[in-house]
């Protein structure tokens, strides 16, 4: 079962350089901060606020250019992340052929977050 983003004391984190939403930070009862990426995945244990912010800033929106696999009907199929919203992620199936990182935007699907069906390629998941 995928990990749920904590409901209380969790706020959006926006990168200070451009205001882009790059994740969430949960403040624990003891005043520490836990960073979560846009897919609601916990990216580190409890940290100081500045460390949590820096981690999410460094991760940025890199997930949009990473290779991903989607569990679909018992198989893993290659996909690219098309869009992330607060409650879901839209993925497009990668197009076959010679074009690197090409996606077939006509066959995309939405997946509710959190999900355990989406995996980063090459074992890069934290």
């Amino acid at each position: 079962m995928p990990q749920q983003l904590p409901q209380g004391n969790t706020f959006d984190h926006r990168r200070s350089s451009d205001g882009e939403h790059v994740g969430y930070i949960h403040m624990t009862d003891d005043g520490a901060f836990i960073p979560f990426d846009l897919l609601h995945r916990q990216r580190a244990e409890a940290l100081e606020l500045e460390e949590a912010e820096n981690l999410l800033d460094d991760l940025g929106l890199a997930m949009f250019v990473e290779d991903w696999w989607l569990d679909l009907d018992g198989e893993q199929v290659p996909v690219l992340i098309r869009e992330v919203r607060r409650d879901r992620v839209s993925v497009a199936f990668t197009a076959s052929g010679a074009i690197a990182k090409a996606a077939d935007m006509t066959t995309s699907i939405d997946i509710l977050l959190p999900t355990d069906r989406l995996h980063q390629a090459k074992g890069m998941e934290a």
Side-chain angles (χ1 to χ4, degrees):
M1 175 126 260
Q3 181 178 4
Q4 293 285 333
L5 191 63
Q7 294 297 313
N9 294 329
T10 300
F11 52 93
D12 292 354
H13 174 65
R14 298 187 179 275
R15 193 171 39 215
S16 61
S17 62
D18 60 8
E20 189 69 42
H21 181 220
V22 292
Y24 306 93
I25 296 178
H26 172 69
M27 187 173 74
T28 66
D29 291 338
D30 62 354
F33 300 88
I34 301 174
F36 290 83
D37 66 18
L38 290 172
L39 296 178
H40 302 193
R41 300 175 304 165
Q42 183 174 333
R43 299 309 300 245
E45 296 301 318
L47 303 167
E48 294 294 321
L49 179 58
E50 186 174 342
E51 291 174 300
E53 291 174 330
N54 289 339
L55 179 96
L56 291 176
D57 288 351
D58 289 345
L59 291 173
L61 301 177
M63 69 179 56
F64 288 101
V65 296
E66 297 294 332
D67 293 320
W68 292 85
W69 294 95
L70 174 66
D71 294 336
L72 185 66
D73 299 327
E75 294 183 40
Q76 285 194 334
V77 295
V79 295
L80 293 175
I81 292 178
R82 187 174 153 198
E83 179 182 21
V84 179
R85 295 190 180 178
R86 184 171 300 281
D87 63 340
R88 66 185 173 275
V89 59
S90 177
V91 297
F93 297 100
T94 56
S96 32
I99 301 172
K101 300 250 183 179
D104 179 358
M105 294 301 190
T106 63
T107 56
S108 63
I109 61 171
D110 285 344
I111 302 163
L112 294 177
L113 290 175
T115 184
D116 56 1
R117 295 178 55 205
L118 197 58
H119 312 279
Q120 278 181 286
K122 303 176 193 164
M124 297 177 70
E125 192 168 332

